Amino acid sequence: MKYLLHYNLKITVCKMKSKVDHNFFLLIIAIIVGVSLIIYELLNESFDQLSLEASKSVATVNGQSISEEQFLKYAINLGANIDSEDDINILELLLERMIEEELLVQRGIELSLHKNDIEVRKTIIQQVIAFIIQVEDAQPDEEELINYFQKNINKYKPTELIHVNSIFVESNNEGSILLGSEYDFKSQKDLFDKIYSQLSFKSFSEVKNEFNQPQIVELPNKTISLKDCRLYLNNKVCNEIILLENEEISQPIFYQNGYFIFQMIEKKRAEIDDNFFEKVRDKVLFDYLNQKDDQKLIDYIKYLKNNADIKKYSLSPK
């Protein structure tokens, strides 16, 4: 009997020991698998981070990278301080915004907006042109600029200088549809005849003191350029003034709310002296850079055409 109990106890102990060994083995396997998964995740994250760092990207969206340079430009344009720890939350928000914008851009391409939407195409074209113009945007040296000025000197020659005096007669039909009409002119004919009669034996200044009426605009009593004249009056009036010879008096010329009678005191052509280039230097530089920008665009479009497969079809009806 004792032997039997001892035998049963031994069997039970062996079974318990076997069960413990089995459970322990399973625990070890579980630990190994868990550690392996953790290591895999860590390695995977590290690999992704290394990939981003290697490509200098701050994020990828559907395989499209957002570069560190793009992000920095974006942040700086919006006034974020990339070196400040206080702005880290703002930088995170900016990155999130760039990701959202990238998603919208990708969706726009999926919808073929760059092909079908005129406004989208126009914006893309403008940005491409701006990019082309910005490439190699170097300032010319002084000799190059002077050569351009000399080749195009007629463009910068000063216009004639004029010094005029004027008498203004206000219209009797101000506020009427007849203002400036033939009827309006004839309604002032008696006054005009009187003025010209006085001018035949009196100085222009004397007649002006007697007949001149208040006006909105009056040329300054000094020598000015034709360009300056157009700042006071319109092209039509100034073009008629410039036809006058020295001391010549014009016929009545309508402008705004009445009629001017001009006397050309002096007319002369401005001379180009040694300092003239410096006076117009800013305009010469502006025109020079514009011409270079235009040529860049022409050359780039020519390059694109030469390297493109273009087929044209007849536009005439069959």
Side-chain angles (χ1 to χ4, degrees):
M1 184 71 175
K2 284 184 179 180
Y3 177 79
L4 182 60
L5 288 172
H6 177 75
Y7 178 76
N8 289 337
L9 180 61
K10 189 175 181 181
I11 291 173
T12 303
V13 171
C14 288
K15 286 182 177 180
M16 289 178 62
K17 186 177 180 182
S18 176
K19 188 174 183 181
V20 169
D21 290 343
H22 179 72
N23 290 339
F24 180 75
F25 178 75
L26 290 177
L27 177 62
I28 295 299
I29 294 296
I31 291 172
I32 292 171
V33 171
V35 170
S36 299
L37 289 172
I38 292 170
I39 292 172
Y40 174 79
E41 289 296 327
L42 290 173
L43 288 174
N44 195 44
E45 287 182 10
S46 299
F47 178 77
D48 289 342
Q49 191 63 33
L50 286 171
S51 296
L52 287 173
E53 290 176 0
S55 63
K56 292 189 176 180
S57 299
V58 292
T60 58
V61 183
N62 294 328
Q64 180 65 42
S65 295
I66 297 176
S67 71
E68 185 179 291
E69 183 182 1
Q70 285 177 297
F71 178 70
L72 292 177
K73 285 182 179 178
Y74 193 87
I76 291 170
N77 286 338
L78 293 176
N81 185 356
I82 58 176
D83 296 322
S84 173
E85 292 183 2
D86 297 334
D87 278 3
I88 190 67
N89 291 333
I90 294 175
L91 295 176
E92 291 288 349
L93 289 173
L94 291 180
L95 179 56
E96 196 62 33
R97 180 172 170 180
M98 288 190 75
I99 291 171
E100 292 168 358
E101 289 181 358
E102 179 59 34
L103 287 169
L104 291 173
V105 169
Q106 292 179 14
R107 183 58 179 155
I109 293 172
E110 288 174 4
L111 296 172
S112 297
L113 294 182
H114 58 300
K115 295 180 180 178
N116 303 324
D117 190 291
I118 294 175
E119 291 303 317
V120 172
R121 288 174 60 84
K122 191 186 296 183
T123 301
I124 292 173
I125 291 168
Q126 289 171 347
Q127 291 301 313
V128 171
I129 291 173
F131 173 78
I132 294 166
I133 290 173
Q134 287 173 4
V135 175
E136 298 178 4
D137 191 14
Q139 294 291 311
D141 58 38
E142 197 70 7
E143 184 179 354
E144 192 175 0
L145 198 60
I146 291 173
N147 287 338
Y148 174 82
F149 165 71
Q150 290 173 344
K151 288 178 182 177
N152 299 276
I153 195 166
N154 289 332
K155 186 176 181 179
Y156 303 104
K157 278 184 178 179
T159 56
E160 289 175 299
L161 299 175
I162 57 173
H163 184 188
V164 298
N165 202 352
S166 64
I167 298 170
F168 181 75
V169 176
E170 191 174 11
S171 170
N172 292 327
N173 296 287
E174 190 172 355
S176 167
I177 59 172
L178 298 174
L179 179 66
S181 66
E182 185 178 355
Y183 172 82
D184 187 35
F185 178 83
K186 288 181 178 179
S187 69
Q188 301 278 23
K189 190 174 185 307
D190 290 342
L191 180 57
F192 292 150
D193 289 344
K194 190 174 182 180
I195 290 172
Y196 283 108
S197 175
Q198 293 284 317
L199 286 170
S200 64
F201 59 90
K202 289 183 180 179
S203 70
F204 194 90
S205 295
E206 288 176 314
V207 177
K208 178 174 181 174
N209 289 335
E210 184 177 350
F211 293 98
N212 189 55
Q213 298 173 1
Q215 69 259 36
I216 299 173
V217 178
E218 183 176 11
L219 289 176
N221 185 24
K222 63 179 183 178
T223 301
I224 61 172
S225 68
L226 186 59
K227 181 180 178 180
D228 290 335
C229 173
R230 290 168 179 149
L231 296 176
Y232 294 93
L233 305 169
N234 61 25
N235 284 343
K236 182 177 181 298
V237 174
C238 291
N239 288 341
E240 293 193 49
I241 292 173
I242 203 67
L243 295 175
L244 298 173
E245 299 298 333
N246 288 344
E247 302 300 324
E248 185 179 356
I249 296 171
S250 73
Q251 292 299 308
I253 300 172
F254 178 76
Y255 181 70
Q256 289 188 342
N257 63 327
Y259 296 84
F260 278 103
I261 296 173
F262 293 103
Q263 181 194 38
M264 179 65 74
I265 298 174
E266 184 182 23
K267 178 173 69 172
K268 61 182 181 179
R269 179 165 289 281
E271 296 180 359
I272 299 178
D273 55 24
D274 295 337
N275 297 321
F276 183 72
F277 171 73
E278 289 302 323
K279 294 176 183 176
V280 297
R281 190 181 190 284
D282 289 343
K283 177 166 176 53
V284 174
L285 177 60
F286 178 81
D287 292 342
Y288 174 85
L289 293 176
N290 270 352
Q291 178 179 289
K292 283 201 73 174
D293 290 344
D294 291 343
Q295 191 59 49
K296 279 183 196 174
L297 184 58
I298 291 169
D299 292 343
Y300 194 78
I301 290 176
K302 184 178 179 181
Y303 164 78
L304 292 176
K305 283 184 172 181
N306 290 339
N307 291 275
D309 181 16
I310 300 172
K311 296 176 181 177
K312 290 184 179 180
Y313 301 97
S314 175
L315 298 176
S316 59
K318 294 180 180 180

